[in-house]
Amino acid sequence: MARALLITDVQNDFTEGGALAVDGGAALAERITAFLRRHADEYDVVVASRDWHDATGDNGGHFAGPDGPDFRTTWPAHCVAGTPGAEYHPALDLSFVDVHVRKGQGEPAYSAFEGTTDAGADLVDVFFDREVHAVDIVGIATDHCVRASALDGVHAGLDVFVYEDLVVGIDQTSSEAALEEVRDEGGHTGRSDMDEGRQRPGGAVL
Ligand SMILES: [Zn+2]
């Protein structure tokens, strides 16, 4: 039985100055790095995902056309493969990351579970191979890619925990709704800074 940390889409385009900037994204990258320095050794595997879209076409309708984005299902062009916007935010310390996942090549892909590793493996297979039963999730954006990743994790049978202080969302109302949805589906949410020690479901203290 193993535990994983999933860092969702902490990329330049989702932080201040990026094409689809989320307020607080840069500060979040720093907080996640601080968390990793204290807690990375508690995880058997640390995974980071990136949105990684094609430069040509609209990526399955994910990039807005002439009418502009609705910021629900259509978005400004973002995280185009190989561009600076698609890179991880520089404040995220990648030395702790064991597995990199990319998603969204030519299609909308909110969940990291839709992505593949550099070796072409699905994330769920990475977790299966490493006997991961629990995954803690942090990153951007609470109301989109964190939400979708958490729900996919729950539906894959994983014990999912989203750290509310280590995520940022586009919209506060939809972010709160997303966390509620994760809880309704059987996941858990809470703060990372409750230690010593962090209360986990079932009363276990890390
Ligand atoms: Zn995208």
Side-chain angles (χ1 to χ4, degrees), residues 14 51 53 62-63 78 109:
F14 295 139
D51 220 15
H53 293 304
H62 189 55
F63 285 5
H78 61 274

Side-chain angles (χ1 to χ4, degrees), residues 14 20 51-53 62-63 75 78-79 103 107-110:
F14 295 139
L20 186 41
D51 220 15
W52 197 260
H53 293 304
H62 189 55
F63 285 5
W75 307 92
H78 61 274
C79 299
K103 61 186 175 63
E107 61 183 10
Y110 296 95

Side-chain angles (χ1 to χ4, degrees), residues 46-77:
V46 176
V47 178
S49 69
R50 273 177 293 177
D51 220 15
W52 197 260
H53 293 304
D54 291 348
T56 56
D58 64 2
N59 288 277
H62 189 55
F63 285 5
D67 293 341
D70 66 9
F71 293 95
R72 292 185 308 109
T73 61
T74 62
W75 307 92

Side-chain angles (χ1 to χ4, degrees), residues 40-206:
D41 60 354
E42 297 165 14
Y43 294 97
D44 299 284
V45 57
V46 176
V47 178
S49 69
R50 273 177 293 177
D51 220 15
W52 197 260
H53 293 304
D54 291 348
T56 56
D58 64 2
N59 288 277
H62 189 55
F63 285 5
D67 293 341
D70 66 9
F71 293 95
R72 292 185 308 109
T73 61
T74 62
W75 307 92
H78 61 274
C79 299
V80 171
T83 66
E87 291 307 313
Y88 294 109
H89 190 279
L92 179 66
D93 187 342
L94 298 174
S95 68
F96 294 102
V97 177
D98 304 304
V99 176
H100 297 273
V101 168
R102 289 179 289 182
K103 61 186 175 63
Q105 296 95 327
E107 61 183 10
Y110 296 95
S111 166
F113 287 88
E114 295 179 74
T116 53
T117 67
D118 293 343
D122 291 337
L123 180 55
V124 75
D125 291 330
V126 171
F127 285 165
F128 182 82
D129 288 345
R130 295 174 184 245
E131 300 184 344
V132 167
H133 72 287
V135 58
D136 294 348
I137 300 179
V138 301
I140 306 172
T142 317
D143 36 355
H144 295 281
C145 293
V146 169
R147 169 188 172 275
S149 299
L151 292 176
D152 273 357
V154 169
H155 297 150
L158 295 162
D159 178 3
V160 170
F161 197 103
V162 178
Y163 286 122
E164 297 173 0
D165 56 321
L166 294 179
V167 293
V168 291
I170 292 175
D171 175 82
Q172 184 175 352
T173 301
S174 60
S175 292
E176 289 170 1
L179 293 173
E180 187 172 341
E181 187 179 4
V182 169
R183 293 190 293 267
D184 286 347
E185 292 288 317
H188 305 274
T189 71
R191 297 186 61 84
S192 70
D193 54 3
M194 291 169 62
D195 50 353
E196 323 292 319
R198 281 178 293 146
Q199 289 290 329
R200 293 277 303 170
V205 177
L206 295 177

